[in-house]
């Protein structure tokens, strides 16, 4: 069976409808771009950069409200102290591998200065997960050109998933992982809003994997499909970016970010000791001009109306993780290690065992 998205396989998560693309880019003016680097010489490289760009690239000058949550902190996301202090996001969000956070962060600073997006300094947000099982991270193979290409490639519409961008060399629930995305449309007091999620999934154990509540991982043990970890401690991480056009204040964004934990847990993620499970939520509705002064009018959603957004966030993250798994393809990488894609025929067969005729 060719690779597919979860809904193409009849897996419908939750009760809320998806947006047009069922992707984070269903949020208006929210763009995504990838750069993927795969080569075997002179070093084995399976890595890349994924860029999430709010407000159609204007985020440097049109800062948006954001909030952060660390479910388990064995990871890195730069710029978060200022996001937490100010409640404002003032750069694109980049996702990459553990050893290249510095390069990606410095390149974004350079772009901001070169293009005069900032007058003084910038603290860009860059998150990482570990792709060292499949990629030689010590090769430091990414360059400024790769980072700039991911930003230049960013745009609206469908988002490529699986072995792409920052997710190229990632492993999820002991199957090939990577990038996944999904969205939900909600209605509040007659108004429609979108909640979108994008994940870089590199977390979880095989035996814990659940798909729409079904314990799929128990049926596909290492005796059926070999493990990419080869007896090593299960580590890895989950990065989840949530975006919405609902008018949220920073504290409400933090509350939304926490709900990524629910989507992660529904798939069987528990937040292992060595897992960096870092979640960021942003709202594109309110924005503040960079270097602004005086009073800035803002709007907010009433707190009781957040419940449907919380449901949307949980559903979108859950489906984004599954889309990552069903889109990713088997990859042979560093030192000949193999991360096998979850077999879609077997996945469908197992799900049918638990569904009434």
């Amino acid at each position: 069976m060719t690779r597919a998205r979860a809904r193409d396989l009849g897996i419908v998560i939750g009760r809320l409808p998806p947006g047009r693309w069922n992707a984070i880019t269903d949020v208006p003016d929210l763009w995504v771009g990838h750069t993927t680097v795969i080569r075997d010489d002179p070093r084995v490289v399976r890595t890349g950069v994924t860029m999430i760009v709010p407000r159609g690239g204007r985020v440097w000058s049109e800062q948006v409200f954001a909030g952060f949550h660390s479910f388990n902190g064995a990871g890195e996301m730069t710029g978060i102290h200022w996001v937490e202090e100010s409640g404002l996001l003032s750069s694109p969000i980049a996702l990459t591998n553990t050893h290249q956070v510095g390069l990606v962060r410095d390149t974004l600073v350079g772009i901001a200065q070169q293009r005069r997006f900032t007058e003084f300094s910038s603290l860009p947000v860059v998150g990482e997960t570990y792709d060292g099982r499949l990629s030689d991270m010590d090769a430091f193979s990414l360059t400024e050109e790769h980072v700039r290409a991911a930003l230049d490639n960013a745009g609206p519409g469908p988002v490529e998933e699986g072995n792409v961008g920052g997710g190229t060399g990632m492993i999820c629930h002991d199957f090939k992982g990577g990038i996944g995305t999904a969205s939900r449309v909600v209605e509040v007091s007659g108004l429609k809003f979108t909640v979108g999620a994008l994940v870089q999934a590199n977390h979880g154990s095989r035996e814990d994997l659940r798909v729409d509540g079904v314990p799929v991982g128990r049926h596909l043990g290492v005796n059926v499909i070999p493990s990419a970890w080869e007896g090593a401690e299960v580590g890895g991480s989950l990065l989840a970016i949530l975006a919405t056009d609902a008018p949220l204040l920073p504290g409400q964004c933090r509350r939304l970010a926490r709900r990524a934990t629910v989507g992660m847990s529904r798939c069987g993620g528990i937040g292992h000791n060595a897992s960096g499970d870092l979640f960021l939520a942003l709202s594109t509705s309110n924005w503040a001009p960079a270097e602004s002064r005086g009073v800035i009018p803002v709007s907010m959603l009433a707190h009781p109306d957040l419940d449907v957004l919380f449901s949307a966030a949980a559903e979108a993250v859950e489906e984004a993780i599954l889309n990552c798994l069903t889109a990713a393809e088997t990859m042979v990488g560093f030192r000949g290690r193999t991360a096998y894609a979850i077999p879609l025929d077997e996945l469908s067969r197992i799900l049918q065992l638990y569904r009434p005729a």
Side-chain angles (χ1 to χ4, degrees):
M1 182 182 290
T2 58
R3 306 311 289 174
R5 306 192 81 193
R7 284 182 183 250
D8 298 330
L9 302 171
I11 303 169
V12 178
I13 299 301
R15 58 182 177 82
L16 295 169
R20 178 184 180 186
W21 307 114
N22 195 15
I24 196 172
T25 47
D26 287 319
V27 176
D29 282 343
L30 198 292
W31 295 355
V32 172
H34 301 297
T35 296
T36 302
V37 182
I38 297 176
R39 63 170 179 261
D40 293 324
D41 294 312
R43 309 275 283 269
V44 175
V45 178
R46 309 283 190 270
T47 195
V49 182
T50 293
M51 204 74 68
I52 302 103
V53 188
R55 296 195 65 80
R58 304 183 303 277
V59 66
W60 273 291
S61 59
E62 299 177 7
Q63 302 170 102
V64 298
F65 288 155
F68 172 76
H69 177 64
S70 171
F71 178 51
N72 195 69
E76 178 64 87
M77 187 176 281
T78 69
I80 286 303
H81 290 297
W82 180 239
V83 171
E84 287 288 84
E85 182 74 21
S86 67
L88 291 170
L89 175 71
S90 57
S91 76
I93 302 161
L95 311 180
T96 189
N97 76 66
T98 304
H99 285 184
Q100 302 249 231
V101 170
L103 170 87
V104 177
R105 180 253 181 213
D106 290 352
T107 301
L108 283 175
V109 171
I111 291 171
Q113 298 295 93
Q114 181 185 44
R115 301 182 185 178
R116 300 184 182 277
F117 289 144
T118 180
E119 184 178 351
F120 301 109
S121 65
S122 57
L123 294 167
V125 173
V126 181
E128 56 77 28
T129 58
Y130 171 83
D131 60 13
R133 298 298 291 177
L134 295 176
S135 187
D136 183 356
M137 292 199 307
D138 291 339
F140 299 102
S141 299
L142 292 179
T143 66
E144 285 191 16
E145 287 69 29
H146 292 129
V147 182
R148 291 174 180 271
L151 186 60
D152 291 341
N153 290 339
V159 176
E160 192 175 1
E161 296 171 294
N163 304 0
V164 295
T168 300
M170 303 305 168
I171 299 166
C172 178
H173 283 284
D174 207 6
F175 292 107
K176 184 64 188 71
I179 298 293
T181 189
S183 71
R184 293 294 185 270
V185 177
V186 302
E187 186 169 334
V188 178
S189 300
L191 299 174
K192 287 189 175 182
F193 301 110
T194 300
V195 177
L198 183 142
V199 300
Q200 183 165 295
N202 189 53
H203 69 291
S205 63
R206 177 81 63 86
E207 60 269 23
D208 290 330
L209 174 63
R210 303 182 74 85
V211 177
D212 198 18
V214 174
V216 169
R218 298 180 194 172
H219 293 265
L220 297 173
V222 296
N223 59 318
V224 179
I225 299 172
S227 169
W229 287 98
E230 300 169 348
E233 178 188 2
V234 175
S237 304
L238 175 68
L239 299 177
I241 308 301
L242 287 159
T244 183
D245 57 349
L248 304 185
L249 299 182
Q252 295 175 312
C253 289
R254 283 194 293 275
R255 298 184 71 191
L256 190 68
R258 293 190 191 108
R259 270 60 188 187
T261 312
V262 180
M264 175 187 182
S265 65
R266 287 177 179 173
C267 291
I270 66 168
H272 286 100
N273 172 67
S275 192
D277 306 314
L278 308 179
F279 311 141
L280 179 72
L282 62 97
S283 167
T284 61
S285 179
N286 293 303
W287 62 275
E291 312 299 337
S292 57
R293 301 289 189 274
V295 177
I296 301 172
V298 299
S299 59
M300 66 169 280
L301 202 64
H303 283 294
D305 290 327
L306 291 176
D307 281 343
V308 69
L309 271 71
F310 293 161
S311 293
E315 289 185 15
V317 169
E318 180 181 4
E319 187 165 341
I321 293 170
L322 298 181
N323 281 337
C324 149
L325 285 167
T326 60
E329 299 179 351
T330 296
M331 176 173 282
V332 179
F334 190 41
R335 296 177 178 168
R337 299 186 185 107
T338 301
Y340 290 94
I342 191 168
L344 301 188
D345 289 332
E346 276 297 288
L347 172 60
S348 295
R349 183 189 67 79
I350 293 165
L351 293 176
Q352 286 301 320
L353 295 175
Y354 287 80
R355 291 172 173 166

